Amino acid sequence: MAPRYQSVAVIGGGPSGISAVKALQEEKIFKTVRLFERRDRVGGIWHYDPVPDVFPLKTQADSKPTSIPSKLPHLSPPTPEDVTARTAIYDTLDSNVGAKAMSFSHTPFPPVNSAHSTKYLGHSNPTRPFPSFNTTVVKAEKKSGKWVLTLRQSGHLVNGELKDYWWEEQFDAVIVASGHYSVPFVPEIPGLKNAVAKYPNHFEHSKEFRNPDDYVDKKVLVVGGNVSSADLVADLHAIVKAPLELSQRGHNEALDSAWNLPHVKVRPTVSEIKTSTRGINVHYSDGSVTESVDKVLFATGYKLSYPFITPDPVTPNNRVAGFYQHIFKIGDPSLALVGQVRAAISFRVYEYQAVAVARYFAGRNKASLPSPREQDQWEVDRLQYKGNSPIFHEIKPDFKDYFDFLTELAGPPAPESNSYLLAPWEDKWAEYAFEILQLKDKYWRSLHRKKEDFVSAKL
């Protein structure tokens, strides 16, 4: 039996891309599987970059889209580094997902390792079928029934000079697994652009954070109300010039113990940022002001970014439109996303998505996708349920329904494959996933008790 698609490209070599390559190879039916990764190795965001990305507004004015040469193949001068390829990993970062759920089902973390420290979060090497590293996918466009990828690979030494090599490759299908934690999101705030221009070193995104030592005895404002904000507050509240200011539009109630840590002052949304001869002053929606702020640290998440897909599926509301179950392009399932979900128990969901896609591409499945009309209706219903925002891609609390869909679509492995049967959803996986947050909550509460004991002793 021939597969639905003979040749498949995988874009991205992080956890979701590794999962896709592994699943495709195990089907033992595809003529060509190619992996394209813009870094020099697999692993994605789990690599540590000592020099971080820079605050988006510092480079926005200078950023220009890369023009594609009129004739390919082509050699060109080196393209400036895409700093969004640098990761957000820092020394003290912990995963917020328990190791039992964070790992792939086929490769659990060794029990001797830490339950949550990222220094132990390695990656499984894929079988690496024809990988192309240091390669950026500049464009992916469907032409005459084929996906045409325009590619640029850096690091070619020609006559003693470094050059970029440009070329095209064609595929029957494409899996985009490039992740969604690369391009920082910073809210539009009146006065911010001018303040960054005048005091560029006063502003950072959480992606730039590397070491708490950089904030000792400084007046700091953290903006954000979710996991990354909680981690930063926990790292900084005891070392900055008190109080640590915390601005929130909304907040995750499961992290209340972090928001109420000692020396933390919760503020409403930032309404404006003004500059003075002494630095920057932050104004809030309730009329209050924090003067002479040394550091504003935005823990405000990331923008979805698939600029190479033609047409670009990312909406102004920061969601991906037109993909059934966050995976298959409606009307053309030869384009699939793996990893475009939130609150879904990584890496397990990447693994399940990858296996389901690989078996659909292989034509193994007894189950088929619903009609394009039914898929469109799924998106309409999803918008009514989750809203037109990044939360559209949030799987929580419907873990079972989503994993059931993936296991049903994947079906059993073919006898001639090297694949395996996906285990059915178990409620304990969600419990495993939230173990680390529970431990953190316990630790944060202990800090509250220490403060209360200290105050009682003084009285």
Side-chain angles (χ1 to χ4, degrees):
M1 180 179 68
R4 281 188 172 95
Y5 309 111
Q6 291 279 357
S7 58
V8 185
V10 177
I11 302 173
S16 52
I18 291 169
S19 298
V21 169
K22 180 178 185 297
L24 291 167
Q25 285 296 96
E26 287 178 342
E27 290 303 317
K28 297 175 65 178
I29 197 173
F30 299 104
K31 183 178 179 180
T32 303
V33 176
R34 289 275 273 139
L35 170 67
F36 299 102
E37 166 56 44
R38 62 180 175 173
R39 294 175 66 101
D40 61 355
R41 71 199 83 169
V42 296
I45 64 170
W46 296 103
H47 288 295
Y48 173 74
D49 289 319
V51 179
D53 193 352
V54 294
F55 192 71
L57 297 185
K58 295 178 187 177
T59 56
Q60 228 172 40
D62 300 325
S63 61
K64 296 178 182 178
T66 303
S67 58
I68 298 173
S70 57
K71 292 184 179 180
L72 300 177
H74 179 80
L75 286 169
S76 72
T79 303
E81 179 197 1
D82 178 6
V83 293
T84 65
R86 299 177 189 170
T87 70
I89 297 293
Y90 55 92
D91 286 340
T92 59
L93 178 65
D94 291 329
S95 168
N96 288 291
V97 180
K100 294 176 185 176
M102 186 72 167
S103 63
F104 301 119
S105 69
H106 52 75
T107 312
F109 290 114
V112 69
N113 284 350
S114 163
H116 57 282
S117 174
T118 56
K119 68 179 66 177
Y120 296 106
L121 285 178
H123 54 267
S124 302
N125 283 321
T127 48
R128 304 203 337 175
F130 305 107
S132 185
F133 295 112
N134 297 311
T135 302
T136 298
V137 178
V138 180
K139 191 174 185 180
E141 185 176 17
K142 192 75 172 282
K143 294 180 180 180
S144 303
K146 291 281 189 177
W147 283 99
V148 180
L149 268 56
T150 304
L151 305 156
R152 185 186 74 246
Q153 187 176 59
S154 62
H156 286 264
L157 192 63
V158 180
N159 296 326
E161 295 183 359
L162 285 176
K163 299 283 186 178
D164 285 353
Y165 177 66
W166 295 73
W167 80 103
E168 286 184 347
E169 291 190 32
Q170 295 186 2
F171 299 89
D172 297 324
V174 174
I175 295 176
V176 178
S178 53
H180 45 91
Y181 296 109
S182 295
V183 181
F185 169 74
V186 175
E188 293 185 7
I189 299 172
L192 175 60
K193 188 173 182 180
N194 291 335
V196 171
K198 189 171 183 179
Y199 296 105
N201 294 328
H202 284 56
F203 298 91
E204 293 177 345
H205 187 272
S206 58
K207 190 181 180 188
E208 298 173 69
F209 184 86
R210 286 297 181 272
N211 196 311
D213 293 349
D214 297 334
Y215 302 84
V216 173
D217 203 30
K218 291 182 178 179
K219 202 166 190 177
V220 177
L221 166 67
V222 174
V223 181
N226 218 318
V227 173
S228 59
S229 176
D231 284 345
L232 292 172
V233 167
D235 280 347
L236 299 177
H237 75 281
I239 63 173
V240 301
K241 185 182 294 182
L244 171 63
E245 307 279 356
L246 175 62
S247 170
Q248 296 181 324
R249 179 181 59 185
H251 65 274
N252 186 337
E253 294 181 356
L255 305 170
D256 278 349
S257 295
W259 316 139
N260 297 314
L261 282 167
H263 315 302
V264 174
K265 185 174 184 178
V266 179
R267 299 279 199 169
T269 54
V270 176
S271 60
E272 188 176 7
I273 295 177
K274 296 183 179 181
T275 62
S276 70
T277 55
R278 294 187 298 172
I280 60 172
N281 301 327
V282 179
H283 294 247
Y284 305 98
S285 58
D286 64 353
S288 60
V289 181
T290 302
E291 296 183 343
S292 303
V293 177
D294 296 312
K295 288 283 188 181
V296 179
L297 186 52
F298 287 93
T300 44
Y302 293 83
K303 294 179 182 179
L304 299 182
S305 181
Y306 299 108
F308 50 87
I309 299 178
T310 304
D312 190 338
V314 179
T315 72
N317 300 86
N318 204 29
R319 76 171 182 91
V320 178
F323 282 78
Y324 176 63
Q325 294 286 357
H326 320 283
I327 302 174
F328 296 99
K329 181 175 172 60
I330 297 174
D332 186 3
S334 66
L335 176 61
L337 307 180
V338 171
Q340 181 45 61
V341 284
R342 297 162 51 108
I345 308 184
S346 315
F347 300 166
R348 192 69 51 86
V349 75
Y350 305 156
E351 174 191 347
Y352 276 53
Q353 285 182 324
V355 171
V357 170
R359 292 196 189 150
Y360 179 80
F361 281 8
R364 307 283 197 194
N365 321 70
K366 292 181 179 178
S368 61
L369 297 176
S371 69
R373 182 177 179 178
E374 291 173 296
Q375 294 179 45
D376 281 331
Q377 187 59 50
W378 172 86
E379 185 169 30
V380 170
D381 294 342
R382 184 81 183 171
L383 283 167
Q384 293 176 347
Y385 174 39
K386 287 287 189 177
N388 189 17
S389 75
I391 302 301
F392 176 90
H393 301 291
E394 182 182 79
I395 302 305
K396 182 186 70 175
D398 308 310
F399 300 115
K400 185 179 187 304
D401 290 343
Y402 194 65
F403 276 80
D404 284 353
F405 160 75
L406 296 173
T407 51
E408 181 180 353
L409 181 62
E416 63 271 27
S417 75
N418 284 338
S419 194
Y420 56 96
L421 185 68
L422 291 176
W425 167 262
E426 297 183 51
D427 289 339
K428 65 181 181 182
W429 294 354
E431 296 172 9
Y432 292 155
F434 297 119
E435 281 179 345
I436 301 305
L437 281 179
Q438 291 168 357
L439 289 172
K440 287 188 176 186
D441 182 75
K442 183 178 179 181
Y443 170 69
W444 295 333
R445 288 177 184 275
S446 73
L447 297 179
H448 289 278
R449 288 193 295 271
K450 286 180 181 179
K451 180 184 178 183
E452 292 168 359
D453 292 344
F454 177 76
V455 172
S456 298
K458 289 188 68 176
L459 294 177

